[in-house]
Amino acid sequence: MINKKELSRTYSNRFKGLESYRNKVWSILVTEFFSNWLASDAKVLDLGCGYGEFINNVATAERHAMDLNPDTMNYLDANIHFHQQDCLEPWTIQAGSLDLVFTSNFFEHLSNKEALSKTIQQIYSHLKPNGRLIMLGPNIAALKGHYWDFWDHHIPLSDQSACELLELHKFKIERSISHFLPYNMVRIRKRPLALVKLYVKLPFIWRFFGAQFLIVAQKIDVLE
C-alpha cells in the first residue's frame, strides 16, 4: 500500500524550489521536441504526472493527468482533468479514447514488474487504435549503479527491456533513443535555459550526456 503522505513528502523534498525552473525546461522540451506528437485535437494523458510540468505545457483539445499525490492538483492548470489514483486501479477515463499517453520517470517507481505489466495493459486498453505511448525514463544500461541513487526506484529498465515489454503488449516501436536527456534536474545546478534549448536541437551530443531513454510506441490492434 502506497502511503500518500510519504509520497507527498518525497515530492516536496525532491522538487521544492525547482518548480518554476522545471516548468520552463519542460516548456522548451514540449515546444522543441514533443510537439511533433501533439495534434491540436488530441486527447492526452500525462501518467504519473508529478507536478504537471509536461501536461501544463501541452496545447491539445483534452488534457488528463494522473498521479496518486494529492498535492498535484495545486500545480495543474484549471482545465486539466486530474485523476488522483493508483494507476493499477480502474481508470475513470473512457477505454479507447486517448490519442497519446505520456509518461516520464514514472515506471521505475512502481512496486514490481507485475505492476508495470498491468499498467501497460491499462495504457493499451485506453488508447485509440493507432494511439501512441511516449515513455521517458532512466536507462540502467547507461547509469548502472547511479540508477539506485533515488530511494524510491524499484524497477531497473533499459531501452532494450522497455521495448521488449511494449512489444509483448502488442505495441509497435516507432522510435527508440537509448541516450536522450541527462539523468535528472534535482541534484545538479540549474542549467541555462538557452543551453537546454540548444541541447534538444543537437541530437549528436545526446549520446555523450543523455542517460534517459525515449521510446515512442504505437498501439497496434491484433486479432487473437
Side-chain angles (χ1 to χ4, degrees):
M1 181 68 69
I2 299 175
N3 187 309
K4 294 181 183 179
K5 289 185 178 180
E6 183 177 336
L7 180 63
S8 178
R9 187 165 57 249
T10 298
Y11 272 52
S12 180
N13 288 346
R14 190 167 292 166
F15 302 121
K16 188 175 180 61
L18 294 170
E19 296 91 344
S20 176
Y21 174 71
R22 287 170 58 84
N23 187 68
K24 291 174 182 176
V25 169
W26 275 100
S27 176
I28 293 171
L29 294 175
V30 169
T31 301
E32 300 295 335
F33 187 81
F34 291 109
S35 59
N36 294 315
W37 294 278
L38 294 168
S40 60
D41 60 348
K43 295 181 180 180
V44 178
L45 168 66
D46 187 353
L47 178 60
C49 65
Y51 286 163
E53 296 93 344
F54 171 80
I55 199 68
N56 280 335
N57 288 290
V58 168
T60 57
E62 190 172 309
R63 297 182 293 170
H64 295 262
M66 186 180 295
D67 204 287
L68 192 58
N69 183 8
D71 295 338
T72 294
M73 68 179 69
N74 300 323
Y75 295 89
L76 296 177
D77 290 350
N79 60 351
I80 292 174
H81 304 280
F82 179 47
H83 308 267
Q84 185 196 333
Q85 67 164 92
D86 187 326
C87 63
L88 297 177
E89 297 298 324
W91 292 12
T92 55
I93 301 170
Q94 182 181 352
S97 67
L98 296 172
D99 296 284
L100 176 70
V101 174
F102 175 88
T103 184
S104 173
N105 290 264
F106 173 59
F107 288 158
E108 67 272 16
H109 298 283
L110 296 176
S111 57
N112 52 52
K113 290 185 175 182
E114 181 182 3
L116 175 54
S117 183
K118 289 180 178 179
T119 301
I120 298 298
Q121 291 174 13
Q122 289 270 46
I123 293 169
Y124 188 92
S125 67
H126 285 81
L127 283 171
K128 295 178 180 179
N130 301 317
R132 288 179 173 85
L133 166 64
I134 296 180
M135 176 180 175
L136 177 64
N139 188 345
I140 194 160
L143 290 163
K144 300 180 171 51
H146 290 293
Y147 192 93
W148 305 109
D149 287 349
F150 292 90
W151 169 250
D152 51 350
H153 280 188
H154 299 290
I155 305 176
L157 288 169
S158 69
D159 56 307
Q160 296 293 318
S161 63
C163 284
E164 183 176 49
L165 170 66
L166 295 176
E167 288 174 336
L168 288 172
H169 285 276
K170 305 176 186 178
F171 280 93
K172 175 185 177 182
I173 307 302
E174 291 188 324
R175 189 170 184 182
S176 178
I177 303 172
S178 59
H179 296 69
F180 180 45
L181 296 180
Y183 187 23
N184 71 84
M185 291 186 287
V186 178
R187 297 168 185 166
I188 57 172
R189 64 182 178 83
K190 297 177 183 179
R191 299 181 177 93
L193 295 175
L195 289 182
V196 175
K197 188 172 183 178
L198 182 63
Y199 180 89
V200 176
K201 291 180 176 293
L202 299 174
F204 71 89
I205 67 172
W206 296 352
R207 62 178 298 183
F208 301 106
F209 299 100
Q212 296 191 53
F213 61 73
L214 173 75
I215 298 170
V216 181
Q218 186 175 38
K219 173 179 177 176
I220 303 296
D221 286 317
V222 178
L223 295 178
E224 298 293 347

